[in-house]
């Protein structure tokens, strides 16, 4: 909890998927779009800064309202559906979250800076609601060990690493 990887949202999706199967009623589209990678030798590396964020009592509600206002002005239900805007890269996205939205923290900025100076990292940014939590990076599999070593040596906190590969997402698994 408080690591910025939307665990509560994951639980909501899993429970909702369960309810849809239980009631045999489909309420949400399970339509997805594959995001192709040009290399099969990459992985998403999640680095938990171990700075616990608290979205209540922070500026998160204000930032959330500002994002909704921007979506309203673009006549979109949310900013995630504003696909006609130019795509931002990982580092540019982090800079925007850190400098413009002011939802990062020095630990997340430090982790992104370490990643930026590491061989085999295509990009890194904070994830989640901000004010602590995790950084996500797209990295070459062959560089994972050296990247982790560099983060352990240079980061002032105690990072925890998770290697992630894309999957099919929430679905019902039949146990036999």
């Amino acid at each position: 909890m408080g690591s910025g990887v939307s665990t509560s949202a994951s639980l909501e999706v899993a429970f909702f998927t369960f309810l849809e199967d239980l009631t045999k009623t489909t309420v949400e589209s399970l339509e997805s779009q594959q995001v192709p990678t040009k290399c099969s030798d990459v992985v998403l590396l999640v680095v938990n800064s171990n700075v616990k964020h608290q979205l209540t009592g922070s500026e998160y509600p204000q930032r959330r309202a500002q994002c909704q206002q921007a979506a309203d002005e673009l006549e979109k239900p949310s900013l995630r559906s504003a696909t006609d805007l130019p795509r931002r890269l990982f580092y540019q996205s982090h800079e925007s979250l850190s400098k413009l939205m002011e939802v990062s923290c020095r630990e997340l900025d430090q982790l992104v800076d370490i990643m930026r100076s590491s061989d085999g990292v295509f990009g890194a940014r904070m994830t989640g609601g901000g004010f602590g939590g995790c950084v996500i990076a797209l990295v070459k599999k062959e560089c994972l060990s050296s990247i982790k070593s560099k983060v352990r040596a240079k980061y002032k906190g105690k990072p925890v690493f998770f290697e992630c590969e894309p999957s099919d997402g929430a679905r019902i698994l039949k146990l036999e």
Side-chain angles (χ1 to χ4, degrees), residues 59 63-64 66-67 95-104 131:
E59 294 185 33
R63 297 299 185 273
R64 175 73 183 89
Q66 291 167 335
C67 288
E95 290 302 313
S96 173
L97 290 163
S98 180
K99 305 294 186 272
L100 299 176
M101 294 299 290
E102 298 177 342
V103 294
S104 188
F131 308 103

Side-chain angles (χ1 to χ4, degrees), residues 8 19 30 36 112 151:
S8 59
L19 288 177
L30 296 178
V112 170
V151 169

Side-chain angles (χ1 to χ4, degrees), residues 4-168:
V5 290
S6 297
T7 49
S8 59
S10 299
L11 288 172
E12 290 171 10
V13 169
F15 187 69
F16 198 82
T17 301
F18 166 74
L19 288 177
E20 283 187 327
D21 187 65
L22 184 68
T23 62
K24 304 298 184 221
T25 304
T26 302
V27 178
E28 292 183 349
S29 168
L30 296 178
E31 186 178 321
S32 63
Q33 180 181 0
Q34 195 74 314
V35 178
T37 56
K38 294 185 180 187
C39 307
S40 60
D41 64 338
V42 296
V43 67
L44 289 172
L45 178 64
V46 178
V47 184
N48 187 346
S49 68
N50 275 313
V51 174
K52 301 296 182 209
H53 71 221
Q54 294 275 344
L55 298 183
T56 55
S58 72
E59 294 185 33
Y60 179 81
Q62 178 185 0
R63 297 299 185 273
R64 175 73 183 89
Q66 291 167 335
C67 288
Q68 188 58 54
Q69 180 181 359
D72 292 344
E73 289 177 17
L74 292 169
E75 298 180 354
K76 303 286 184 182
S78 69
L79 287 180
R80 88 176 55 108
S81 61
T83 57
D84 50 341
L85 298 176
R87 293 180 183 242
R88 288 180 186 245
L89 300 176
F90 271 60
Y91 293 123
Q92 289 170 322
S93 179
H94 182 78
E95 290 302 313
S96 173
L97 290 163
S98 180
K99 305 294 186 272
L100 299 176
M101 294 299 290
E102 298 177 342
V103 294
S104 188
C105 63
R106 69 184 193 307
E107 293 87 354
L108 293 176
D109 292 342
Q110 182 190 17
L111 284 170
V112 170
D113 287 343
I114 294 167
M115 296 289 193
R116 188 186 314 265
S117 68
S118 299
D119 291 333
V121 178
F122 296 107
R125 59 162 286 183
M126 60 160 277
T127 186
F131 308 103
C134 293
V135 164
I136 187 168
L138 185 63
V139 304
K140 286 185 179 180
K141 286 181 185 178
E142 66 190 45
C143 299
L144 274 172
S145 180
S146 63
I147 292 167
K148 289 179 183 180
S149 294
K150 186 172 183 178
V151 169
R152 282 188 198 100
K154 294 188 174 247
Y155 179 57
K156 295 176 182 169
K158 294 186 181 195
V160 176
F161 302 95
F162 303 94
E163 299 166 26
C164 308
E165 294 190 25
S167 71
D168 293 334

